């Protein structure tokens, strides 16, 4: 009897230590997995199409830049961010004017006109759309 009591106590203490050790190990593994998942998410977040277009604007020049700016302007118009749409369309006009890229300028003018139309400012929209028509006619004659 004398030898069995300390052996049982030692076994119980060992089982309790193993139990705590297993819990601690499991918690550490779960924490590590969560940290890896969060890191992977932040690394693999893909840029949005608008982010990609913004990068493209910086890398392009002349007609290609005007076209990219017009695409950006239209993307913003489609999500009803009219101020941003007009900003990029006006930028397209700025870039297109010195190189006489009438088609690109007309597209930008149409985009601005559509933003005003979608906001209920029909007279402004009409004026801009008529300007775009004139620009398209100029482009055909060249």
């Amino acid at each position: 009897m004398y030898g069995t009591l300390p052996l049982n106590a030692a076994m119980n203490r060992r089982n309790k230590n193993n139990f705590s050790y297993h819990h601690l190990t499991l918690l550490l593994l779960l924490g590590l997995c969560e940290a890896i998942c969060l890191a992977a998410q932040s690394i693999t977040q893909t840029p949005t199409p608008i982010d990609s277009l913004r990068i493209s604007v910086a890398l392009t020049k002349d007609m290609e830049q005007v076209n990219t700016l017009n695409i950006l302007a239209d993307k913003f118009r489609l999500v009803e961010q009219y101020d941003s749409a007009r900003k990029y369309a006006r930028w397209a006009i700025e870039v297109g004017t010195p190189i006489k890229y009438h088609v690109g300028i007309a597209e930008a003018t149409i985009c601005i006109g559509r933003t005003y139309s979608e906001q209920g400012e029909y007279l402004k929209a009409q004026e801009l759309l008529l300007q775009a028509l004139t620009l398209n006619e100029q482009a055909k004659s060249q």
Side-chain angles (χ1 to χ4, degrees), residues 4-31:
T4 59
L5 186 59
L7 183 58
N8 286 340
M11 291 289 278
N12 285 338
R13 194 176 20 221
R14 183 170 178 237
N15 287 338
K16 285 181 184 176
N17 286 341
N18 279 344
F19 182 75
S20 297
Y21 175 76
H22 289 304
H23 270 90
L24 182 61
T25 304
L26 183 61
L27 286 174
L28 287 173
L29 284 174
L30 287 173

Side-chain angles (χ1 to χ4, degrees), residues 3-136:
T4 59
L5 186 59
L7 183 58
N8 286 340
M11 291 289 278
N12 285 338
R13 194 176 20 221
R14 183 170 178 237
N15 287 338
K16 285 181 184 176
N17 286 341
N18 279 344
F19 182 75
S20 297
Y21 175 76
H22 289 304
H23 270 90
L24 182 61
T25 304
L26 183 61
L27 286 174
L28 287 173
L29 284 174
L30 287 173
L32 182 62
C33 288
E34 185 178 359
I36 290 170
C37 288
L38 288 173
Q41 270 183 334
S42 67
I43 290 171
T44 60
Q45 285 180 343
T46 56
T48 66
I50 288 178
D51 292 335
S52 298
L53 287 167
R54 284 180 174 154
I55 292 167
S56 182
V57 165
L59 300 175
T60 57
K61 291 184 180 182
D62 299 331
M63 290 183 356
E64 190 177 345
Q65 187 176 35
V66 172
N67 292 336
T68 305
L69 287 164
N70 281 329
I71 292 168
L72 253 172
D74 205 47
K75 294 272 187 207
F76 279 111
R77 182 188 63 78
L78 291 172
V79 294
E80 299 179 359
Q81 293 185 18
Y82 300 119
D83 290 337
S84 294
R86 285 191 283 264
K87 176 182 110 177
Y88 284 103
R90 287 185 182 116
W91 189 4
I93 292 169
E94 279 181 37
V95 174
T97 300
I99 60 172
K100 296 181 171 93
Y101 183 37
H102 298 296
V103 173
I105 297 167
E107 282 183 36
T109 306
I110 289 168
C111 182
I112 295 170
R114 289 177 79 180
T115 64
Y116 285 118
S117 174
E118 291 170 12
Q119 289 185 302
E121 296 184 48
Y122 301 113
L123 292 177
K124 269 187 182 178
Q126 181 182 15
E127 182 184 324
L128 288 161
L129 294 173
L130 288 172
Q131 282 179 13
L133 182 62
T134 303
L135 288 164
N136 273 327

